[in-house]
Amino acid sequence: MGSKQVIVQFYGAFRSSGAEMVVNLDGQNTVADLKSSLATRLAGQLSMLVGDSVIATGTRILSDSEEITGDARLSILPPVCGG
Amino acid sequence: MRAFRFCRQFVGGNMGETIYTRVSETPLSLDEAYQFVASPQNGAVNLFVGAVRNNHQGKNVVSLAYDVHPSLAEATFKEICQEAQKEWPGIRCYISHFKGHQEIGGMSVIVAVGSAHRAESYEASRYMIEELKKRAPVWKNEVYQDETSSWLNGVSLCQRI
């Protein structure tokens, strides 16, 4: 497994850290690893918010155990409050 | 007849469609929602409108910004409409959610249901808006009179995976 570049698009409260973040992962990685990396790099309350958030593609939410097999463009979705 | 001409244009020429969903960056249209869910078989049309209010938890709100993940939101809206149609067969469903900056009183969401009788239109409409609030990837950023702003707390999607 080589290195992968994952671009994570931000929504909601995460937007206070910009539009997106580039995360480089090495080896075999899951969505949980990506969340862990995001939590490390984000500051304060946003770091804590990662645990209540999900990672998604353009069409579906990914489970924490899903593997990230290559470069990807994903989103992190904090708790929702539409309507 | 006017209604049906509009509807044909609106759904891309397919009158067989009974679900319409979208995320809109332009003002929402009650007329559009009504025209989509109305049909000769339906004796009831229920229109629910979410609007921006000027206060929240004791704070004066001056405007609200809606952030939306468009493709996932539309997929979620469709899923909710399909669930409603399974529970209340024969209904026509419409969901449109606003994305962007909205002033006080502006429409944030329209949920419309057309059905044979009023009971199912009320019930389906209630189901659809409640599910939307829990499941759709939409976020609100309130702007206050003192020019501060705050992202509102919400419901985690973690339990949905």
Side-chain angles (χ1 to χ4, degrees), chain B residues 25-143:
Chain B
E25 295 186 50
T26 57
L28 306 185
S29 167
L30 279 170
D31 188 48
E32 182 184 89
Y34 180 84
Q35 298 295 349
F36 183 77
V37 299
S39 91
Q41 293 81 33
N42 290 341
V45 169
N46 192 302
L47 297 172
F48 171 83
V49 178
V52 179
R53 67 173 185 269
N54 68 359
N55 65 90
H56 182 231
Q57 295 182 337
K59 286 185 164 181
N60 291 324
V61 178
V62 294
S63 65
L64 217 153
Y66 289 87
D67 191 15
V68 182
H69 187 301
S71 58
L72 261 183
E74 288 206 22
T76 306
F77 297 161
K78 280 195 179 76
E79 193 176 76
I80 291 168
C81 289
Q82 286 163 351
E83 291 166 6
Q85 287 185 331
K86 199 171 174 187
E87 183 70 24
W88 296 278
I91 63 173
R92 297 176 65 86
C93 300
Y94 173 104
I95 298 177
S96 183
H97 203 296
F98 184 76
K99 176 176 184 257
H101 190 264
Q102 189 65 280
E103 301 298 327
I104 300 304
M107 289 189 282
S108 59
V109 63
I110 297 175
V111 173
V113 178
S115 62
H117 304 287
R118 68 184 181 281
E120 59 263 38
S121 73
Y122 276 115
E123 289 166 11
S125 172
R126 183 66 189 260
Y127 174 81
M128 288 160 62
I129 186 62
E130 296 300 334
E131 291 300 309
L132 181 153
K133 291 180 84 71
K134 288 186 288 192
R135 294 159 54 181
V138 178
W139 302 271
K140 295 175 190 168
N141 189 26
E142 284 184 341
V143 180

Side-chain angles (χ1 to χ4, degrees), chain A residues 5-46:
Chain A
Q5 186 180 74
V6 181
I7 300 170
V8 182
Q9 193 168 1
F10 288 158
Y11 286 92
F14 289 112
R15 286 205 190 267
S16 60
S17 279
E20 61 188 33
M21 181 177 276
V22 178
V23 180
N24 292 301
L25 298 170
D26 283 312
Q28 206 166 5
N29 303 106
T30 63
V31 168
D33 297 327
L34 174 63
K35 287 172 76 172
S36 176
S37 180
L38 286 166
T40 303
R41 291 179 56 186
L42 289 165
Q45 287 192 325
L46 290 184

Side-chain angles (χ1 to χ4, degrees), chain B residues 3-20:
Chain B
F4 291 104
R5 273 197 301 278
F6 184 95
C7 201
R8 271 196 294 275
Q9 291 164 1
F10 178 46
V11 297
N14 185 358
M15 275 298 290
E17 293 288 341
T18 57
I19 291 174
Y20 183 83

Side-chain angles (χ1 to χ4, degrees), chain A residues 10-13 15-16 35 51-54 56-64 75-83, chain B residues 66-72 75 97 108-109 129 132-140 151-158 161:
Chain A
F10 288 158
Y11 286 92
R15 286 205 190 267
S16 60
K35 287 172 76 172
D52 283 331
S53 303
V54 295
T57 67
T59 55
R60 70 183 184 93
I61 295 170
L62 304 176
S63 72
D64 284 354
S75 302
I76 184 162
L77 312 180
V80 300
C81 57
Chain B
Y66 289 87
D67 191 15
V68 182
H69 187 301
S71 58
L72 261 183
H97 203 296
S108 59
V109 63
I129 186 62
L132 181 153
K133 291 180 84 71
K134 288 186 288 192
R135 294 159 54 181
V138 178
W139 302 271
K140 295 175 190 168
W151 290 99
L152 299 191
N153 294 327
V155 179
S156 173
L157 296 174
C158 289
I161 51 178

